[in-house]
Amino acid sequence: QAIQAINGHTNMTAEEFTNVIFQKIDVNNDGELTLEEFITGVEKDKDLMELITKSFDLSNVLKVIQSG
């Protein structure tokens, strides 16, 4: 909820916001996000990439991606 408030997404509940994210990037619709789905989904969605970039320090995730 705090991340949403920082980014101006206060018109949605945390659950609604999470559902929107899953609808955008859970490609196999199993209700779970693998790291691969998350990365691919965020890369393909400009708005989501901007939101994530502004909201999180992803340096540790990038290290995992780079190390394979």
Side-chain angles (χ1 to χ4, degrees):
Q1 289 173 331
I3 292 168
Q4 292 175 37
I6 290 168
N7 290 291
H9 293 284
T10 55
N11 59 333
M12 286 187 267
T13 67
E15 184 176 351
E16 290 169 333
F17 184 77
T18 302
N19 288 337
V20 167
I21 300 304
F22 270 78
Q23 288 172 1
K24 288 182 175 219
I25 63 178
D26 181 19
V27 294
N28 63 0
N29 296 314
D30 66 353
E32 297 179 2
L33 290 179
T34 64
L35 180 58
E36 183 179 301
E37 280 179 314
F38 177 79
I39 292 169
T40 302
V42 171
E43 287 176 338
K44 289 181 179 179
D45 190 301
K46 180 183 173 186
D47 294 330
L48 186 54
M49 175 66 89
E50 184 177 329
L51 174 66
I52 298 290
T53 302
K54 288 181 180 178
S55 302
F56 298 105
D57 174 8
L58 296 177
S59 57
N60 288 331
V61 173
L62 293 174
K63 288 177 188 175
V64 170
I65 293 168
Q66 290 173 341
S67 67

